[in-house]
Amino acid sequence: MPDVPAVNTSSIGAVMAPATDVAILLDVIPGKHGGTVMIRPGITTLVGPNGSGKTRALRSIQKELRSRHADAGHVRFLPAGRTAPLEYFRAAINTPGVGPNRGEARYGDIDYRPRWHEIESVVGDIMNLEQRPDLRIKVETRLQQLFERRIDFQWGQQGLAMSFTAMASNARYHSGLEASGITQLVSLLAAIYDDTIETLIVDEPEISLHPQLQAFILEEMEAVAGDWADPGKKRIVISTHSPSFLPFRSLADLPSIVFFGADADCRQVDPADGLLQSSKLKEFVARTSLFHRQAMFAESILLVEGPSDEIISARTARHLGLKIEARNAQILPALGKGEFREARKLFTKIGMRVTVLADLDALADDNRLVNDFSCSSEATAAANAIGYKSFIELDGNIRSDLAAIIIANTAAIDSAVKNYPYWSDKQDADVKRHRCTLAQLLTDPSVFTGELETKMRALATRYDVLLNGLEKLGCFFLRRGAIENYYADTSNGAAKPARASTEADRLAVLTYTQLVAEYPELVHALRFTAPGRDIDESVILRVKLAAALGAIFQSMEPGSTDAQIEAMAISVLPAIEGLFTFHNATSGNKPAVCVELRSKIFNLTGFPLTVSRTDNLNDAVGQIQPG
């Protein structure tokens, strides 16, 4: 493929760029400079203060990409004021005293349906959703997970009406009464997953969105972002003032960020710049978190010990697809076990659910953290269930027995644990011995011999009871010692954040089973912090297909045409029109239907699916599963 040149306009000159990148010279802003923006595969992010030219730059990008790719997919532009049409039904924006009771919100005109992508507001995306049942499932699956909402559409003389249904109460209400953030979410998700959009340009996607939802939308964007030459991928360009929308997790992300200043050309780092090879800069980026300030908005907090633990935890959660932010949770580093206790007190006091993932020294050195988690009625009930008055009692008994064994077998224990790779050599000898002994018996008690091994294995079993009970309360301990004791690379020459970043890169290619085997406490703590359903679009699709097939088999005859079969389904469930293709697969006198999925935006297995009238519909559609 030849290089792609920049196209000449009144303020655009010739710039050569690789085929995977697009160079765009921005319109010059009066009294300021312009500059060149390289639109790279994936997400290009424009950052800078108000008035620095980001919105003007987005318009230049829109204009240029439309002129270059006029015959390709849509270049969709969503401005910062994209919900303006909705505000007419929500507030007295033009007429005094005429507020949100003026009636059901209506969107667009049915004649505009072919050109919905040219409507630069949520109206275009809502009109598109009405005619794309596959997109509707993409959006509705996420609305159900996040807000337990369903959406419906109906055309009338005044335009298209969108309504929401709260699943908990089955109460239906029109979109003019819904929170603007949810309407923003519907619009953004529809645009993100529309496979006819080649480039999506969004000015301030964070508008009206809760901080955790902002991070969620960024993850949704990253799921489809890429080179528009790749099927199912699109280029995304955003401008933002929100740290949640700044995809800056490593130095490799830096070239896709465009920096705007008050009175200078925009600036963008070249991927070939030697600066990106700086080990010091890599360490800085590795320990830089953009999300710490969001913790005050969360419902659930995971406290980890220091920046290394945070790097590993955040990257692992993302790799597992746990959607931490979408579940209104936040990972927050604390410095040492002392901060754990104080931070937990603070967040608990203001009503947050706090989970702790602590180094083992928080258990080995004293019982304060155990005591903190043992004072609730929930903790008492959990302890009673395993035969103890409290976890304090169980911990005290085990702690005393371990101390007695160490005193009576000091020489043998020193010989057994002397090579244990403990995370620090600065402790008092007795403290270090106690920590190493506990870590060793929890990970591999076979290093002890004879009668001592028997005692240590019995003690390890009792510790499992204690630790498993504490984990049900949200108190997790790294049983090997500290996070560094889990690393595949045991060398310690590099700084901690750099080592953590390298280890996180290694974990990113492991399977779930491998992650659980290597980091069991971390994975369990993440799942405890952010419980909830995984996004599974096949659930809604199976329900719709089962209903459609039920309607078909009520009326189908052996000689029914494919068009008649589809009409039978649509008459009962109009929302599936365009979603499936139905074929008469009757053999003899046994009516059967072969179903194909028309849309290409789902990653599902089980299609084409053949179902006969005598089949159990639940079992039949159950073959449709996530890919």
Side-chain angles (χ1 to χ4, degrees):
M1 184 179 244
D3 288 344
V4 180
V7 177
N8 283 310
T9 68
S10 59
S11 61
I12 297 181
V15 175
M16 300 300 291
T20 54
D21 296 336
V22 178
I24 297 178
L25 292 182
L26 306 178
D27 291 341
V28 177
I29 301 173
K32 298 184 180 181
H33 301 282
T36 302
V37 170
M38 298 296 297
I39 307 300
R40 308 193 189 283
I43 301 176
T44 300
T45 306
L46 280 53
V47 298
N50 294 109
S52 59
K54 299 187 301 302
T55 300
R56 181 79 171 255
L58 293 180
R59 285 297 185 185
S60 293
I61 294 167
Q62 175 198 25
K63 175 182 176 182
E64 183 64 13
L65 291 182
R66 279 184 173 174
S67 68
R68 296 187 187 200
H69 305 278
D71 297 326
H74 305 312
V75 176
R76 178 86 173 119
F77 189 99
L78 288 173
R82 51 191 171 271
T83 59
L86 182 63
E87 295 308 313
Y88 178 78
F89 303 94
R90 297 167 55 89
I93 57 175
N94 289 322
T95 306
V98 181
N101 295 322
R102 62 185 309 123
E104 188 166 9
R106 297 283 179 169
Y107 305 90
D109 187 289
I110 199 165
D111 291 335
Y112 299 158
R113 293 174 77 183
R115 300 175 63 189
W116 64 268
H117 55 279
E118 297 178 27
I119 301 176
E120 295 181 346
S121 72
V122 298
V123 171
D125 300 307
I126 291 170
M127 292 177 65
N128 188 35
L129 269 182
E130 186 273 334
Q131 55 188 331
R132 285 285 302 271
D134 53 346
L135 271 184
R136 202 179 312 162
I137 289 179
K138 282 281 186 182
V139 173
E140 196 169 37
T141 301
R142 286 150 180 80
L143 282 182
Q144 289 188 13
Q145 183 203 9
L146 295 169
F147 301 107
E148 295 191 328
R149 301 285 206 278
R150 295 196 304 268
I151 49 176
D152 295 289
F153 302 89
Q154 185 174 4
W155 280 100
Q157 290 184 344
Q158 296 178 328
L160 176 64
M162 178 174 69
S163 62
F164 292 86
T165 301
M167 296 170 64
S169 62
N170 206 35
R172 180 184 176 275
Y173 52 95
H174 60 77
S175 58
L177 298 178
E178 181 56 279
S180 61
I182 293 182
T183 305
Q184 292 270 18
L185 197 71
V186 168
S187 172
L188 289 171
L189 288 172
I192 288 168
Y193 280 102
D194 188 328
D195 54 347
T196 69
I197 295 176
E198 181 180 81
T199 302
L200 174 61
I201 303 173
V202 187
D203 195 1
E204 298 184 21
E206 67 267 23
I207 291 174
S208 297
L209 296 183
H210 193 67
Q212 277 70 36
L213 279 182
Q214 294 177 28
F216 170 68
I217 285 294
L218 177 62
E219 287 191 353
E220 297 292 286
M221 288 180 171
E222 288 174 325
V224 301
D227 193 329
W228 52 54
D230 295 336
K233 296 295 183 180
K234 57 169 59 71
R235 297 197 185 192
I236 298 177
V237 184
I238 64 174
S239 71
T240 184
H241 296 283
S242 170
S244 296
F245 270 103
L246 190 63
F248 187 33
R249 304 181 184 94
S250 69
L251 281 178
D253 298 321
L254 191 58
S256 293
I257 302 174
V258 187
F259 299 89
F260 284 74
D263 54 3
D265 287 355
C266 62
R267 296 176 296 276
Q268 192 172 7
V269 177
D270 191 306
D273 195 311
L275 181 69
L276 300 184
Q277 308 306 316
S278 168
S279 59
K280 292 293 185 184
L281 187 57
K282 181 179 180 180
E283 292 179 22
F284 173 79
V285 172
R287 69 173 182 267
T288 298
S289 172
L290 301 172
F291 304 112
H292 294 165
R293 70 191 67 178
Q294 295 184 14
M296 298 303 291
F297 296 90
E299 292 180 355
S300 179
I301 300 289
L302 172 61
L303 292 175
V304 298
E305 194 155 338
S308 295
D309 298 59
E310 184 194 12
I311 292 168
I312 298 292
S313 300
R315 295 274 292 276
T316 300
R318 187 164 177 264
H319 174 48
L320 291 174
L322 291 181
K323 306 290 185 184
I324 291 287
E325 288 80 12
R327 294 169 183 176
N328 212 4
Q330 193 71 39
I331 300 171
L332 193 64
L335 299 178
K337 54 184 179 291
E339 278 194 10
F340 273 141
R341 300 179 68 235
E342 297 306 310
R344 180 176 180 272
K345 288 178 184 176
L346 170 63
F347 290 120
T348 301
K349 191 176 186 67
I350 59 178
M352 296 183 185
R353 180 172 174 264
V354 182
T355 305
V356 166
L357 179 63
D359 287 355
L360 192 60
D361 63 337
L363 176 67
D365 292 0
D366 55 61
N367 61 358
R368 287 179 292 181
L369 190 57
V370 173
N371 291 356
D372 287 348
F373 274 89
S374 301
C375 297
S376 67
S377 57
E378 179 187 6
T380 300
N384 293 344
I386 57 175
Y388 289 88
K389 292 181 180 179
S390 68
F391 286 113
I392 297 174
E393 178 189 19
L394 175 57
D395 174 67
N397 291 344
I398 303 174
R399 190 179 299 275
S400 297
D401 291 346
L402 176 59
I405 291 174
I406 291 176
I407 292 172
N409 301 273
T410 301
I413 286 174
D414 284 347
S415 175
V417 304
K418 64 182 179 181
N419 294 322
Y420 190 85
Y422 200 69
W423 54 100
S424 174
D425 291 321
K426 298 180 181 179
Q427 295 84 25
D428 173 89
D430 290 336
V431 172
K432 182 176 181 180
R433 179 184 298 114
H434 195 89
R435 292 181 177 183
C436 288
T437 302
L438 180 56
Q440 188 68 70
L441 74 88
L442 289 176
T443 54
D444 183 15
S446 66
V447 299
F448 304 102
T449 59
E451 185 180 349
L452 180 58
E453 179 185 0
T454 302
K455 292 180 179 180
M456 287 302 191
R457 287 190 181 278
L459 206 58
T461 300
R462 294 168 65 194
Y463 263 114
D464 279 339
V465 173
L466 172 65
L467 295 177
N468 291 339
L470 290 171
E471 288 180 1
K472 293 178 181 178
L473 305 174
C475 182
F476 295 80
F477 291 98
L478 293 168
R479 301 189 188 195
R480 296 185 191 177
I483 201 74
E484 291 83 3
N485 288 94
Y486 293 73
Y487 292 178
D489 182 2
T490 58
S491 62
N492 56 10
K496 282 188 175 184
R499 291 185 65 199
S501 181
T502 300
E503 176 70 359
D505 290 339
R506 182 184 75 87
L507 298 182
V509 299
L510 299 185
T511 65
Y512 175 78
T513 301
Q514 290 171 325
L515 275 171
V516 172
E518 294 197 26
Y519 282 80
E521 300 88 22
L522 170 60
V523 174
H524 296 156
L526 288 168
R527 289 202 169 276
F528 187 92
T529 303
R533 301 186 303 272
D534 291 332
I535 291 176
D536 183 358
E537 294 145 351
S538 66
V539 174
I540 296 178
L541 191 139
R542 287 195 297 268
V543 171
K544 292 181 181 295
L545 181 55
L549 288 171
I552 289 171
F553 288 130
Q554 289 294 321
S555 306
M556 180 183 175
E557 299 292 339
S560 296
T561 66
D562 292 351
Q564 288 172 332
I565 292 172
E566 183 168 349
M568 296 172 195
I570 293 173
S571 66
V572 175
L573 202 65
I576 69 164
E577 184 174 5
L579 189 59
F580 303 106
T581 298
F582 298 95
H583 302 288
N584 191 333
T586 298
S587 176
N589 293 321
K590 186 179 180 182
V593 175
C594 178
V595 186
E596 295 181 12
L597 182 65
R598 292 186 183 180
S599 177
K600 298 179 180 180
I601 67 176
F602 296 112
N603 180 24
L604 300 172
T605 62
F607 289 102
L609 176 70
T610 300
V611 185
S612 70
R613 178 176 286 168
T614 57
D615 289 338
N616 182 296
L617 286 182
N618 289 333
D619 292 341
V621 300
Q623 299 176 51
I624 301 167
Q625 296 292 333

